[in-house]
Structure formats: structure tokens, C-alpha cells
Amino acid sequence: MAPHHEPDAPLPLEGITVVSLEQAVAAPFATRQLADLGARVIKVERPGGGDFARRYDTTVHGQASYFVWLNRSKESLTLDLKSDEGREILHELLAGADVFVQNLAPGAAGRLGLSADALQARYPSLIPCTVSGYGTSGSWADRKAYDLLVQCQTGLLSLTGTPDEAVRAGISVADIAGGMYAYSGILSALFTRATTGRARAVEVSLFDALAEWMSQPAYYTRYGGTQPPRVGARHATVAPYGPFTASDGKDVLLSVQNEREWAALCEQVIGRPELTGDPRFATGSDRVAHRDELDAIISARFAGLGSEEAMELLDRANIANAGVNSVAEFLAHPALVERDRWREVAIPGGSPVQALVPPADLKGVAPRMDPVPAAGEHTERILGELGRGPQDIARLRARGVCR
């Protein structure tokens, strides 16, 4: 049954204003989640195109898939921050804001007078959040850091793929990690300000975020002497844990986590209970050491089973399993459809799109899922709120300060 929501219940961050100089993925992901919770997010974009992520692709009714995902429920204001008038308008916004988020190129915020220290000196109640590549200190502070570069630098790429080839993770995992920590850091800073009156700056680097996610292989390598091997879709340190191809060509992934499950797999699925006494497979470490021999035994059994039959056997044995879905199969997954996890969201110039409800359900609260803005869509309204009349706005547009 779908969770019950009360659409009229107030959102947790109503009344909070976020101003963001954001681009690409990490910072927009953080601010979109704040918008989901009711914060007003004013996205400041460059005149003449805006966030370059708007042009990553055109697959969603002419809009970029990344941008549609990351920017619903925001307001878009275009400003030329190289102009004095543009910076003046930005500071008027910051004077009334609670949070400022930026993931500009290394050093750019400082050159604009928007470093965390400068902002906190001018606006003591403002929470500045900096999302960087490798941090704002040290010899790597000035280096550009895109997602795949950070996957390389943290060692993730060395773990992902087959023995013959390293591959990138199929999603922007460093950006997503950075966005998640920026989001949780901002929430922590808002709570701290509410309880102590102190506004603390937040800083997150993509490198540090993904480094945290690399902790298990880091421990394994530091104290085991070698890093986990690349084993494709199999688990590097647990066996059997990976996909096996059934007779109909569908891959079914199974996971054995303990000795009870190992015995059940041997007896009820493979049909060879004597394997539980085989010294090659006596412990989890033994099964990892003899992975190829074990996988060959399981593969031979699966070759005689259809995928549905294999999953039914695994279910009866209480062994975790799942078909290896395509993205199209994921979109129609019963865990989404039966639980009403899709909502319609409007996008610029096209039909509404289906968007997933945020993962954290707050009982009695419906998340905000408002339209994705066109570049500069809210410029006139926001400038009007700051006291600019139609003639002022026309003059600013003529001078290229906004669009």
C-alpha cells in the first residue's frame, strides 16, 4: 500500500531561502533535495544559456536528463556576476537568504568576494556551503575535478570492472556522494543555527565524499596487504555473490551471506548437499579463494533452469536473489508502481515527465515536486521582489546583466 500523505501539511524547510551559484550535478543535487523539503531555491545562472548541464543531452522532450533530474522546484534568475550591478543584486539576495551554495571553478568564488569567510563576515546568519573537487586547501585545491577524474583518484576505477578492464561506475557516483554530504551538512548547519544561533560554514569535496565511500576497500587494502580484485558483477570478498545465467538467457544474481544459506544453496538449489563438507568451500574465505570452481558448479546448475524457476528455488531456500534488470525493467518495477513512487513534473516547453518521489518519506508530508525552470524564468519576479520596476529590469536586460 502506498504511504499516506497529507498534501496540506507544512514542509520542513518552508521559510528557508537558498541562493545557489551551481552547475553540473553535485551542488544542484544538494539544493534540489532542499527544495523537495520546501526551501525556496533561487538558482543563479549565467545569461545566455545558464547552467551548462542544460545542454548535456536533449533526451527528455528536448531537455537534458541530468538537468530535469536535478532542478525541479527551483527558481531561475540569470545574472552576469562580472558586472557590478549583477553582484549588487546577488548581495541583496544573500542579505535575506539562509543558505548560499556554490560549486564554481577553483578560486572563482574568492575572486567574486564570495568565499565562506567573506560571506560570514558580511552576513553572520548565512550558512555558506562550498562544494569543491579536492578541498579548498592543499596542492590539489586548484585542480578541476569532474566525476570520472575523482573515481580515478580515489581508486574506485581500479575496483570496478573485470580482471581485464576497469570501467567507470554507470552513474555519477562522486557527484552524487558530494551532493548528499552537502545536503546533510546544510541540514546539520540549519539545525545548529536553530539551536545555538551560530551559523557555521559547510565544505564538502567530491574527493572526500567518495573517499568515505571507499573506506571498506581502503581497510581491506591497508590491513590485508592487497586490494580487492576486480571481479565484474561479483562481490570481491564474498562468494557466491553474483549473477548466473539461466537457460533462458536471463541473469539471476544470488547472495550467500552465512553458513545456513550456503547449506540451503547446496541442498535445495544446486542439489549437492555433499558440498557443505567440501574443504574448498568450508568457510566464506575458502569460497572466495575457490570462487572459479564454485561458480562453475553453480553455473552448470543454472544452465538447466529457467530464470523464474531458479528464482523460485532460491526463494524457497530463503536465499536473497534478483533478476539483473535493464533500466526499462527497473522503470516498471512493482516496488515503484505498487507503492505509487512516481509523480508528474512539468519541464520547459514539453510534456510533463515522470519523476521519483524522494526516498525519505516523512509521515504526513508530501514532498514538493514543482516544475523544472527555464533559464531566467523567474528573473523578472525576483528582481521585482528586490524593488526593481519594469524600466529598471528593461535597462538591466539591455546591459546584459540578466536575461
Side-chain angles (χ1 to χ4, degrees), residues 82-117:
K82 294 180 180 179
S83 70
D84 291 340
E85 290 173 300
R87 290 193 297 275
E88 179 184 343
I89 291 167
L90 176 65
H91 279 286
E92 289 179 40
L93 287 171
L94 292 176
D98 300 282
V99 179
F100 172 65
V101 181
Q102 64 89 8
N103 67 333
L104 300 176
R111 291 191 294 273
L112 291 169
L114 299 173
S115 68
D117 288 344

Side-chain angles (χ1 to χ4, degrees), residues 93-379:
L93 287 171
L94 292 176
D98 300 282
V99 179
F100 172 65
V101 181
Q102 64 89 8
N103 67 333
L104 300 176
R111 291 191 294 273
L112 291 169
L114 299 173
S115 68
D117 288 344
L119 289 173
Q120 289 204 294
R122 187 167 180 175
Y123 310 109
S125 65
L126 182 69
I127 296 167
C129 176
T130 300
V131 181
S132 67
Y134 297 101
T136 55
S137 61
S139 61
W140 281 68
D142 293 332
R143 296 180 69 94
K144 288 186 177 181
Y146 300 130
D147 180 85
L148 185 51
L149 301 176
V150 178
Q151 289 191 39
C152 291
Q153 288 298 307
T154 56
L156 176 60
L157 212 68
S158 75
L159 299 177
T160 308
T162 68
D164 298 325
E165 182 182 16
V167 300
R168 69 176 287 270
I171 57 175
S172 300
V173 64
D175 286 325
I176 293 168
M180 288 301 302
Y181 285 115
Y183 167 59
S184 60
I186 291 166
L187 292 179
S188 299
L190 285 168
F191 180 79
T192 299
R193 192 185 68 171
T195 54
T196 70
R198 175 80 181 271
R200 295 189 178 276
V202 177
E203 181 176 338
V204 174
S205 79
L206 305 190
F207 183 85
D208 289 343
L210 197 55
E212 168 65 24
W213 289 13
M214 283 289 294
S215 291
Q216 180 275 323
Y219 279 119
Y220 187 99
T221 302
R222 184 184 293 274
Y223 299 104
T226 60
Q227 74 174 49
R230 286 198 306 267
V231 288
R234 286 165 169 74
H235 196 290
T237 59
V238 180
Y241 192 162
F244 297 89
T245 304
S247 61
D248 55 12
K250 174 81 171 178
D251 285 342
V252 175
L253 188 141
L254 64 88
S255 173
V256 167
Q257 298 278 320
N258 55 53
E259 300 313 310
R260 184 206 63 75
E261 292 177 351
W262 167 239
L265 180 73
C266 295
E267 295 166 7
Q268 300 178 49
V269 181
I270 302 175
R272 293 184 57 183
E274 74 278 5
L275 291 175
T276 58
D278 191 315
R280 295 174 298 171
F281 311 131
T283 67
S285 296
D286 292 329
R287 292 192 287 275
V288 170
H290 297 91
R291 182 197 308 275
D292 290 345
E293 298 157 82
L294 176 55
D295 285 356
I297 293 169
I298 300 173
S299 294
R301 174 62 174 141
F302 270 57
L305 297 170
S307 57
E308 292 297 328
E309 183 182 5
M311 287 188 280
E312 287 173 6
L313 284 173
L314 290 164
D315 285 343
R316 285 202 294 269
N318 200 24
I319 293 172
N321 67 91
V324 180
N325 283 346
S326 66
V327 177
E329 289 171 315
F330 150 71
L331 293 174
H333 200 289
L336 299 176
V337 176
E338 293 170 3
R339 296 167 55 245
D340 191 28
R341 301 303 292 178
W342 294 104
R343 298 288 185 277
E344 280 197 347
V345 170
I347 64 171
S351 302
V353 299
Q354 294 290 306
L356 285 168
V357 175
D361 285 315
L362 300 181
K363 187 174 182 180
V365 177
R368 188 172 75 180
M369 301 189 71
D370 289 348
V372 175
E377 179 178 343
H378 303 91
T379 296

Side-chain angles (χ1 to χ4, degrees), residues 382-396:
I382 294 169
L383 293 179
E385 292 174 1
L386 295 175
R388 268 70 170 182
Q391 289 184 333
D392 298 319
I393 295 170
R395 180 180 57 80
L396 290 168

